[in-house]
């Protein structure tokens, strides 16, 4: 017994050695910055003169919580994400279902659908800028076919930027979701479908009663990742708009607002408060979504 | 042998459905798939086409094929941007991040899964929780840290904070739980230290998981724009993404052909690598989804 215990502790010593990089990383690059963010959010602080930081109590928090522009940016990102999540979900699932049916050239389709995913956002944004611009090919085609009467300057419009960026982003990202769904579909036992066929279930019935419930792990994963990443959209708007998101602030997202506050106006304290507020929002949403989806899961088991 | 046996039965199952019923369905499916192909490919085709056009032609005939092959864009880009340097920079940064991530992620995962440390449960929870920390929360304080440490405008700031990711550790942990302890015990009985067990036994077995981590990390680092935008000032240190952004905003409207040549140059190597390794890429992403 004693010998075994000694041996174990040697193994454990190595265990601590192996995990030490994470502990170090976690302490230095995650815990400490969160602590700093809290501290900064109660200070009036300029990056260049940190020694002059003043304690201002909840001022930054109040400013952030009552800031119309901040809430406008939150609204924008929700407006964008609702369209984006629905679109990518539908497109990703549709193409996964289509690809599952075919036997010829499946990998060719998969590969090409995946191309936008591996393209960098900056390159994709340059492409998209020209394709969607008033002189660009899309609009000139639409004019020719008389879908639109005059060129649309969507960047300067009140309601168009978010849906258009959402469409663009689903072009860029549906490949990932398609691949994840395809993996999920492959793991579904075919016998279930055969049983449903015998019962005379139609295509839609099979989709809603079998496919979607059995894809739940993949769906939860995709939605969680979408919420955590999607609410932090930056490059897309940064490359298209000025720091306040165009004339109606319709392109302003929370991260860009934070960037403008912190790095343009140098108000680090107020930017830290905005970051914390947004993190709180993301956290609440993720938890809420997990709770809803998991409660459904329990019902399904019952 | 087994493969030969299983194939015919598979075909038999398909033959059971009458062929006439299948055909129109297949036509619809392939039509939709090809339609999708066009939508996905169009911007790329547009990009390559335009990189061989002259500026005025891009403006006035955006949809047409180039009337003559013009290399002005490519020549211009090589004259204004230090393309080899930019590639070297990006490869260095993304390569270091990838190397460090594969090593650290597998080390930490091994420590948690295979070394029986009592804090196993708590560590797993911390790793899951730290995956949920939104990057935006850390943005301002991390910038201040880096500024105070005078790491701004060095590669340290891009590489070191990105050297470990909870996400990668989690992926490796999932893989490690599948490795049977018997292999490790055998090596331990032979007198190998834990480091040797990890290095000689576990790492070679973990190759598929390591390639997943490597591909996802390299792609993320290669395409990162925000990090270089925040921290890199010197032109000699710039990465491809940042250089493309600066290049685009410095010449609005003029030298269109150069922009298209630059985007083509930046995209093409990635696409070529992707086509050679597409199975690994796609596997990497599928693995992520299967929690």
């Amino acid at each position: 017994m004693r010998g075994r215990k000694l041996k174990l502790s040697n193994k454990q010593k190595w265990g601590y050695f192996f995990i030490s990089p994470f502990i170090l990383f976690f302490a230095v690059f995650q815990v400490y910055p969160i602590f700093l963010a809290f501290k900064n959010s109660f200070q009036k602080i300029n990056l260049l003169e940190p020694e002059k930081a003043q304690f201002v109590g909840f001022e930054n928090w109040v400013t952030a919580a009552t800031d119309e522009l901040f809430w406008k940016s939150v609204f924008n990102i929700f407006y964008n994400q609702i369209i984006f999540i629905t679109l990518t979900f539908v497109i990703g699932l549709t193409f996964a279902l289509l690809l599952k049916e075919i036997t010829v050239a499946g990998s060719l389709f998969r590969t090409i659908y995946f191309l936008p995913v591996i393209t960098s956002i900056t390159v994709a944004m340059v492409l998209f800028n020209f394709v969607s611009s008033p002189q660009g090919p899309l609009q000139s085609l639409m004019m020719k076919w008389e879908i639109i009467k005059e060129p649309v300057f969507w960047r300067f419009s009140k309601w168009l930027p978010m849906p258009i960026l959402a469409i663009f982003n689903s072009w860029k990202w549906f490949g990932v979701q398609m691949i994840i769904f395809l993996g999920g579909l492959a793991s579904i036992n075919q016998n279930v479908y055969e049983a449903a066929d015998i019962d005379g279930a139609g295509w839609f019935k099979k989709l809603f009663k079998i496919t979607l419930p059995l894809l739940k792990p993949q769906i939860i994963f995709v939605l969680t990742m979408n919420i955590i990443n999607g609410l932090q959209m930056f490059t897309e708007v940064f490359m298209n708009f000025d720091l306040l998101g165009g004339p109606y602030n319709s392109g302003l997202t929370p991260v860009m607002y934070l960037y403008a506050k912190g790095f343009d106006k140098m108000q680090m304290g107020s930017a830290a408060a905005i970051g914390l507020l947004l993190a709180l929002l993301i956290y609440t949403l993720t938890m809420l979504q997990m709770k809803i989806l998991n409660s459904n899961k329990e019902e399904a088991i019952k | 042998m087994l493969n030969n046996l299983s194939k015919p039965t598979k075909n038999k199952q398909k033959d059971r459905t009458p062929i006439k019923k299948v055909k129109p369905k297949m036509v619809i499916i392939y039509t939709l798939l090809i339609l999708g192909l066009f939508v996905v490919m169009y911007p790329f085709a547009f990009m390559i086409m335009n990189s061989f056009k002259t500026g005025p032609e891009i403006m006035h005939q955006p949809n047409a094929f180039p009337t003559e092959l013009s290399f002005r864009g490519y020549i211009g880009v090589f004259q204004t941007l230090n393309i080899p340097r930019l590639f070297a920079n990006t490869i260095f940064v993304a390569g270091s991040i990838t190397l460090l991530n594969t090593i650290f992620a597998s080390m930490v995962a091994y420590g948690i899964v295979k070394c029986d440390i009592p804090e196993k449960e708590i560590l797993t929870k911390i790793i899951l929780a730290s995956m949920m920390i939104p990057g935006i929360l850390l943005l301002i304080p991390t910038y201040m840290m880096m500024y105070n440490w005078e790491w701004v405008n060095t590669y340290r700031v891009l590489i070191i904070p990105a050297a470990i990711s909870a996400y990668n550790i989690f992926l490796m942990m999932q893989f490690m739980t599948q490795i049977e302890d018997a292999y490790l015990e055998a090596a331990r009985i032979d007198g190998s230290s834990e480091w040797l067990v990890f290095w000689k036994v576990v790492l070679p077995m973990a190759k598929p998981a390591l390639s997943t981590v490597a591909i996802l990390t390299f792609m993320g680092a290669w395409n990162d724009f925000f990090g270089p935008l925040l921290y890199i000032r010197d032109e000699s240190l710039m990465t491809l993404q940042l250089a493309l952004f600066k290049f685009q905003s410095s010449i609005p409207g003029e030298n269109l052909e150069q922009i298209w040549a630059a985007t083509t140059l930046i995209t093409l190597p990635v696409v070529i690598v992707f086509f050679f390794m597409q199975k690994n890429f796609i596997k990497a992403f599928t693995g992520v989804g299967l929690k």
Side-chain angles (χ1 to χ4, degrees), chain B residues 240-272:
Chain B
L240 281 169
Q241 311 305 335
L242 184 60
L244 176 66
F245 169 72
K246 297 259 177 198
F247 189 53
Q248 194 213 10
S249 49
S250 66
I251 42 171
E254 60 175 308
N255 293 343
L256 271 178
E257 68 264 9
Q258 283 192 31
I259 296 259
W260 290 110
T263 47
T264 310
L265 275 174
I266 289 175
T267 311
L268 222 53
V270 188
V271 171
I272 291 168

mmCIF file of all heavy atoms in Angstrom, chain B residues 240-272:
data_model
loop_
_atom_site.group_PDB
_atom_site.id
_atom_site.type_symbol
_atom_site.label_atom_id
_atom_site.label_comp_id
_atom_site.label_asym_id
_atom_site.label_seq_id
_atom_site.Cartn_x
_atom_site.Cartn_y
_atom_site.Cartn_z
ATOM 1 N N LEU B 240 0.267 39.448 -43.030
ATOM 2 C CA LEU B 240 -0.472 39.602 -44.284
ATOM 3 C C LEU B 240 -1.806 40.328 -44.095
ATOM 4 O O LEU B 240 -2.137 41.230 -44.858
ATOM 5 C CB LEU B 240 -0.745 38.226 -44.881
ATOM 6 C CG LEU B 240 0.410 37.568 -45.626
ATOM 7 C CD1 LEU B 240 0.077 36.124 -45.913
ATOM 8 C CD2 LEU B 240 0.686 38.311 -46.918
ATOM 9 N N GLN B 241 -2.564 39.896 -43.089
ATOM 10 C CA GLN B 241 -3.916 40.456 -42.922
ATOM 11 C C GLN B 241 -3.865 41.953 -42.659
ATOM 12 O O GLN B 241 -4.623 42.725 -43.241
ATOM 13 C CB GLN B 241 -4.658 39.767 -41.779
ATOM 14 C CG GLN B 241 -4.627 38.256 -41.804
ATOM 15 C CD GLN B 241 -5.135 37.662 -43.097
ATOM 16 O OE1 GLN B 241 -5.921 38.279 -43.804
ATOM 17 N NE2 GLN B 241 -4.668 36.478 -43.429
ATOM 18 N N LEU B 242 -2.962 42.350 -41.763
ATOM 19 C CA LEU B 242 -2.846 43.764 -41.426
ATOM 20 C C LEU B 242 -2.361 44.560 -42.638
ATOM 21 O O LEU B 242 -2.879 45.630 -42.942
ATOM 22 C CB LEU B 242 -1.892 43.942 -40.245
ATOM 23 C CG LEU B 242 -1.748 45.363 -39.724
ATOM 24 C CD1 LEU B 242 -3.082 45.901 -39.254
ATOM 25 C CD2 LEU B 242 -0.734 45.420 -38.596
ATOM 26 N N ALA B 243 -1.376 44.003 -43.358
ATOM 27 C CA ALA B 243 -0.834 44.691 -44.528
ATOM 28 C C ALA B 243 -1.921 44.883 -45.573
ATOM 29 O O ALA B 243 -2.030 45.954 -46.176
ATOM 30 C CB ALA B 243 0.334 43.912 -45.109
ATOM 31 N N LEU B 244 -2.743 43.865 -45.768
ATOM 32 C CA LEU B 244 -3.816 43.975 -46.760
ATOM 33 C C LEU B 244 -4.787 45.077 -46.361
ATOM 34 O O LEU B 244 -5.212 45.874 -47.190
ATOM 35 C CB LEU B 244 -4.563 42.649 -46.902
ATOM 36 C CG LEU B 244 -5.759 42.699 -47.840
ATOM 37 C CD1 LEU B 244 -5.325 42.957 -49.268
ATOM 38 C CD2 LEU B 244 -6.578 41.417 -47.768
ATOM 39 N N PHE B 245 -5.109 45.135 -45.065
ATOM 40 C CA PHE B 245 -6.030 46.171 -44.594
ATOM 41 C C PHE B 245 -5.450 47.556 -44.828
ATOM 42 O O PHE B 245 -6.103 48.438 -45.372
ATOM 43 C CB PHE B 245 -6.342 45.962 -43.110
ATOM 44 C CG PHE B 245 -7.055 47.117 -42.498
ATOM 45 C CD1 PHE B 245 -8.380 47.367 -42.821
ATOM 46 C CD2 PHE B 245 -6.410 47.970 -41.616
ATOM 47 C CE1 PHE B 245 -9.048 48.450 -42.274
ATOM 48 C CE2 PHE B 245 -7.071 49.051 -41.069
ATOM 49 C CZ PHE B 245 -8.393 49.291 -41.395
ATOM 50 N N LYS B 246 -4.191 47.739 -44.434
ATOM 51 C CA LYS B 246 -3.551 49.057 -44.600
ATOM 52 C C LYS B 246 -3.465 49.422 -46.082
ATOM 53 O O LYS B 246 -3.671 50.561 -46.468
ATOM 54 C CB LYS B 246 -2.137 49.026 -44.015
ATOM 55 C CG LYS B 246 -2.116 48.767 -42.538
ATOM 56 C CD LYS B 246 -1.913 50.035 -41.755
ATOM 57 C CE LYS B 246 -1.977 49.698 -40.277
ATOM 58 N NZ LYS B 246 -2.198 50.773 -39.392
ATOM 59 N N PHE B 247 -3.159 48.406 -46.870
ATOM 60 C CA PHE B 247 -3.004 48.604 -48.306
ATOM 61 C C PHE B 247 -4.333 49.048 -48.912
ATOM 62 O O PHE B 247 -4.393 49.980 -49.710
ATOM 63 C CB PHE B 247 -2.550 47.283 -48.926
ATOM 64 C CG PHE B 247 -2.137 47.376 -50.362
ATOM 65 C CD1 PHE B 247 -1.191 48.309 -50.758
ATOM 66 C CD2 PHE B 247 -2.681 46.533 -51.314
ATOM 67 C CE1 PHE B 247 -0.798 48.393 -52.079
ATOM 68 C CE2 PHE B 247 -2.294 46.611 -52.625
ATOM 69 C CZ PHE B 247 -1.355 47.548 -53.017
ATOM 70 N N GLN B 248 -5.401 48.412 -48.459
ATOM 71 C CA GLN B 248 -6.713 48.727 -49.010
ATOM 72 C C GLN B 248 -7.140 50.128 -48.618
ATOM 73 O O GLN B 248 -7.664 50.880 -49.419
ATOM 74 C CB GLN B 248 -7.750 47.712 -48.528
ATOM 75 C CG GLN B 248 -9.025 47.793 -49.333
ATOM 76 C CD GLN B 248 -10.250 47.475 -48.507
ATOM 77 O OE1 GLN B 248 -10.192 47.374 -47.287
ATOM 78 N NE2 GLN B 248 -11.362 47.341 -49.168
ATOM 79 N N SER B 249 -6.897 50.496 -47.341
ATOM 80 C CA SER B 249 -7.389 51.805 -46.924
ATOM 81 C C SER B 249 -6.479 52.926 -47.399
ATOM 82 O O SER B 249 -6.886 54.072 -47.406
ATOM 83 C CB SER B 249 -7.575 51.849 -45.408
ATOM 84 O OG SER B 249 -6.439 51.367 -44.760
ATOM 85 N N SER B 250 -5.248 52.588 -47.834
ATOM 86 C CA SER B 250 -4.365 53.670 -48.273
ATOM 87 C C SER B 250 -4.608 54.050 -49.732
ATOM 88 O O SER B 250 -4.244 55.136 -50.148
ATOM 89 C CB SER B 250 -2.896 53.277 -48.074
ATOM 90 O OG SER B 250 -2.563 52.213 -48.933
ATOM 91 N N ILE B 251 -5.239 53.154 -50.500
ATOM 92 C CA ILE B 251 -5.511 53.527 -51.894
ATOM 93 C C ILE B 251 -6.972 53.295 -52.260
ATOM 94 O O ILE B 251 -7.279 52.392 -53.022
ATOM 95 C CB ILE B 251 -4.601 52.755 -52.889
ATOM 96 C CG1 ILE B 251 -4.468 51.279 -52.494
ATOM 97 C CG2 ILE B 251 -3.274 53.410 -53.059
ATOM 98 C CD1 ILE B 251 -3.781 50.450 -53.549
ATOM 99 N N PRO B 252 -7.884 54.095 -51.698
ATOM 100 C CA PRO B 252 -9.282 53.869 -52.037
ATOM 101 C C PRO B 252 -9.555 54.266 -53.491
ATOM 102 O O PRO B 252 -9.263 55.379 -53.898
ATOM 103 C CB PRO B 252 -10.033 54.778 -51.054
ATOM 104 C CG PRO B 252 -9.053 55.814 -50.654
ATOM 105 C CD PRO B 252 -7.680 55.262 -50.854
ATOM 106 N N GLY B 253 -10.073 53.328 -54.250
ATOM 107 C CA GLY B 253 -10.482 53.656 -55.614
ATOM 108 C C GLY B 253 -9.401 53.549 -56.655
ATOM 109 O O GLY B 253 -9.649 53.081 -57.748
ATOM 110 N N GLU B 254 -8.186 53.953 -56.324
ATOM 111 C CA GLU B 254 -7.155 53.862 -57.356
ATOM 112 C C GLU B 254 -6.388 52.547 -57.224
ATOM 113 O O GLU B 254 -6.455 51.882 -56.196
ATOM 114 C CB GLU B 254 -6.190 55.048 -57.265
ATOM 115 C CG GLU B 254 -5.478 55.139 -55.935
ATOM 116 C CD GLU B 254 -4.444 56.240 -55.908
ATOM 117 O OE1 GLU B 254 -3.607 56.266 -56.818
ATOM 118 O OE2 GLU B 254 -4.474 57.056 -54.981
ATOM 119 N N ASN B 255 -5.685 52.189 -58.241
ATOM 120 C CA ASN B 255 -4.915 50.948 -58.266
ATOM 121 C C ASN B 255 -5.734 49.729 -57.892
ATOM 122 O O ASN B 255 -5.319 48.893 -57.109
ATOM 123 C CB ASN B 255 -3.713 51.021 -57.315
ATOM 124 C CG ASN B 255 -2.710 52.017 -57.806
ATOM 125 O OD1 ASN B 255 -2.748 52.416 -58.973
ATOM 126 N ND2 ASN B 255 -1.827 52.422 -56.937
ATOM 127 N N LEU B 256 -6.955 49.695 -58.402
ATOM 128 C CA LEU B 256 -7.840 48.570 -58.109
ATOM 129 C C LEU B 256 -7.169 47.240 -58.419
ATOM 130 O O LEU B 256 -7.282 46.285 -57.668
ATOM 131 C CB LEU B 256 -9.103 48.689 -58.945
ATOM 132 C CG LEU B 256 -10.245 49.481 -58.349
ATOM 133 C CD1 LEU B 256 -11.392 49.536 -59.317
ATOM 134 C CD2 LEU B 256 -10.671 48.854 -57.037
ATOM 135 N N GLU B 257 -6.446 47.223 -59.547
ATOM 136 C CA GLU B 257 -5.863 45.952 -59.962
ATOM 137 C C GLU B 257 -4.867 45.425 -58.929
ATOM 138 O O GLU B 257 -4.718 44.230 -58.757
ATOM 139 C CB GLU B 257 -5.214 46.079 -61.353
ATOM 140 C CG GLU B 257 -3.972 46.949 -61.434
ATOM 141 C CD GLU B 257 -4.263 48.385 -61.870
ATOM 142 O OE1 GLU B 257 -5.444 48.759 -61.954
ATOM 143 O OE2 GLU B 257 -3.318 49.146 -62.113
ATOM 144 N N GLN B 258 -4.223 46.364 -58.204
ATOM 145 C CA GLN B 258 -3.261 45.926 -57.191
ATOM 146 C C GLN B 258 -3.954 45.230 -56.023
ATOM 147 O O GLN B 258 -3.464 44.252 -55.478
ATOM 148 C CB GLN B 258 -2.469 47.117 -56.670
ATOM 149 C CG GLN B 258 -1.408 47.568 -57.641
ATOM 150 C CD GLN B 258 -0.447 48.541 -56.987
ATOM 151 O OE1 GLN B 258 -0.181 48.466 -55.791
ATOM 152 N NE2 GLN B 258 0.073 49.461 -57.775
ATOM 153 N N ILE B 259 -5.106 45.785 -55.622
ATOM 154 C CA ILE B 259 -5.863 45.172 -54.527
ATOM 155 C C ILE B 259 -6.236 43.739 -54.896
ATOM 156 O O ILE B 259 -6.080 42.811 -54.099
ATOM 157 C CB ILE B 259 -7.156 45.959 -54.252
ATOM 158 C CG1 ILE B 259 -6.813 47.341 -53.774
ATOM 159 C CG2 ILE B 259 -8.039 45.212 -53.266
ATOM 160 C CD1 ILE B 259 -6.924 47.555 -52.320
ATOM 161 N N TRP B 260 -6.717 43.577 -56.125
ATOM 162 C CA TRP B 260 -7.160 42.242 -56.528
ATOM 163 C C TRP B 260 -5.992 41.287 -56.628
ATOM 164 O O TRP B 260 -6.103 40.126 -56.237
ATOM 165 C CB TRP B 260 -7.922 42.306 -57.851
ATOM 166 C CG TRP B 260 -9.232 42.966 -57.642
ATOM 167 C CD1 TRP B 260 -9.616 44.191 -58.077
ATOM 168 C CD2 TRP B 260 -10.311 42.465 -56.866
ATOM 169 N NE1 TRP B 260 -10.872 44.489 -57.635
ATOM 170 C CE2 TRP B 260 -11.323 43.449 -56.897
ATOM 171 C CE3 TRP B 260 -10.532 41.298 -56.153
ATOM 172 C CZ2 TRP B 260 -12.540 43.282 -56.234
ATOM 173 C CZ3 TRP B 260 -11.733 41.131 -55.497
ATOM 174 C CH2 TRP B 260 -12.724 42.121 -55.538
ATOM 175 N N ALA B 261 -4.857 41.798 -57.117
ATOM 176 C CA ALA B 261 -3.684 40.939 -57.183
ATOM 177 C C ALA B 261 -3.248 40.555 -55.770
ATOM 178 O O ALA B 261 -2.909 39.398 -55.497
ATOM 179 C CB ALA B 261 -2.561 41.658 -57.909
ATOM 180 N N ALA B 262 -3.309 41.517 -54.837
ATOM 181 C CA ALA B 262 -2.891 41.237 -53.454
ATOM 182 C C ALA B 262 -3.802 40.193 -52.814
ATOM 183 O O ALA B 262 -3.315 39.240 -52.198
ATOM 184 C CB ALA B 262 -2.901 42.523 -52.626
ATOM 185 N N THR B 263 -5.111 40.352 -52.958
ATOM 186 C CA THR B 263 -6.012 39.366 -52.348
ATOM 187 C C THR B 263 -5.793 37.988 -52.959
ATOM 188 O O THR B 263 -5.801 36.989 -52.249
ATOM 189 C CB THR B 263 -7.490 39.763 -52.519
ATOM 190 O OG1 THR B 263 -7.698 40.147 -53.854
ATOM 191 C CG2 THR B 263 -7.898 40.868 -51.597
ATOM 192 N N THR B 264 -5.574 37.949 -54.273
ATOM 193 C CA THR B 264 -5.334 36.651 -54.901
ATOM 194 C C THR B 264 -4.060 36.017 -54.351
ATOM 195 O O THR B 264 -4.036 34.840 -54.007
ATOM 196 C CB THR B 264 -5.210 36.809 -56.432
ATOM 197 O OG1 THR B 264 -6.323 37.564 -56.900
ATOM 198 C CG2 THR B 264 -5.199 35.459 -57.117
ATOM 199 N N LEU B 265 -3.008 36.842 -54.237
ATOM 200 C CA LEU B 265 -1.734 36.327 -53.728
ATOM 201 C C LEU B 265 -1.856 35.798 -52.310
ATOM 202 O O LEU B 265 -1.249 34.795 -51.938
ATOM 203 C CB LEU B 265 -0.679 37.444 -53.751
ATOM 204 C CG LEU B 265 0.038 37.640 -55.069
ATOM 205 C CD1 LEU B 265 0.935 38.864 -54.991
ATOM 206 C CD2 LEU B 265 0.864 36.407 -55.411
ATOM 207 N N ILE B 266 -2.660 36.497 -51.499
ATOM 208 C CA ILE B 266 -2.809 36.090 -50.098
ATOM 209 C C ILE B 266 -3.649 34.827 -49.991
ATOM 210 O O ILE B 266 -3.394 33.964 -49.152
ATOM 211 C CB ILE B 266 -3.427 37.246 -49.285
ATOM 212 C CG1 ILE B 266 -2.400 38.363 -49.135
ATOM 213 C CG2 ILE B 266 -3.904 36.763 -47.925
ATOM 214 C CD1 ILE B 266 -2.919 39.583 -48.459
ATOM 215 N N THR B 267 -4.644 34.704 -50.857
ATOM 216 C CA THR B 267 -5.579 33.586 -50.736
ATOM 217 C C THR B 267 -5.050 32.302 -51.364
ATOM 218 O O THR B 267 -5.259 31.217 -50.829
ATOM 219 C CB THR B 267 -6.919 33.968 -51.384
ATOM 220 O OG1 THR B 267 -7.301 35.239 -50.888
ATOM 221 C CG2 THR B 267 -7.991 32.959 -51.049
ATOM 222 N N LEU B 268 -4.377 32.442 -52.478
ATOM 223 C CA LEU B 268 -3.985 31.258 -53.242
ATOM 224 C C LEU B 268 -3.193 30.202 -52.446
ATOM 225 O O LEU B 268 -3.548 29.021 -52.485
ATOM 226 C CB LEU B 268 -3.209 31.682 -54.492
ATOM 227 C CG LEU B 268 -3.592 30.913 -55.756
ATOM 228 C CD1 LEU B 268 -5.086 30.960 -55.990
ATOM 229 C CD2 LEU B 268 -2.840 31.452 -56.961
ATOM 230 N N PRO B 269 -2.141 30.590 -51.699
ATOM 231 C CA PRO B 269 -1.392 29.560 -50.962
ATOM 232 C C PRO B 269 -2.281 28.798 -49.976
ATOM 233 O O PRO B 269 -2.168 27.584 -49.847
ATOM 234 C CB PRO B 269 -0.331 30.354 -50.198
ATOM 235 C CG PRO B 269 -0.286 31.678 -50.823
ATOM 236 C CD PRO B 269 -1.586 31.927 -51.484
ATOM 237 N N VAL B 270 -3.181 29.536 -49.309
ATOM 238 C CA VAL B 270 -4.066 28.894 -48.333
ATOM 239 C C VAL B 270 -4.958 27.878 -49.037
ATOM 240 O O VAL B 270 -5.153 26.763 -48.564
ATOM 241 C CB VAL B 270 -4.939 29.959 -47.634
ATOM 242 C CG1 VAL B 270 -5.710 29.332 -46.488
ATOM 243 C CG2 VAL B 270 -4.091 31.095 -47.131
ATOM 244 N N VAL B 271 -5.463 28.283 -50.201
ATOM 245 C CA VAL B 271 -6.352 27.393 -50.938
ATOM 246 C C VAL B 271 -5.602 26.146 -51.411
ATOM 247 O O VAL B 271 -6.113 25.029 -51.319
ATOM 248 C CB VAL B 271 -6.986 28.146 -52.130
ATOM 249 C CG1 VAL B 271 -7.730 27.181 -53.041
ATOM 250 C CG2 VAL B 271 -7.927 29.219 -51.629
ATOM 251 N N ILE B 272 -4.367 26.352 -51.861
ATOM 252 C CA ILE B 272 -3.577 25.201 -52.338
ATOM 253 C C ILE B 272 -3.322 24.224 -51.191
ATOM 254 O O ILE B 272 -3.565 23.018 -51.316
ATOM 255 C CB ILE B 272 -2.241 25.683 -52.963
ATOM 256 C CG1 ILE B 272 -2.538 26.416 -54.269
ATOM 257 C CG2 ILE B 272 -1.310 24.503 -53.213
ATOM 258 C CD1 ILE B 272 -1.369 27.173 -54.833
#
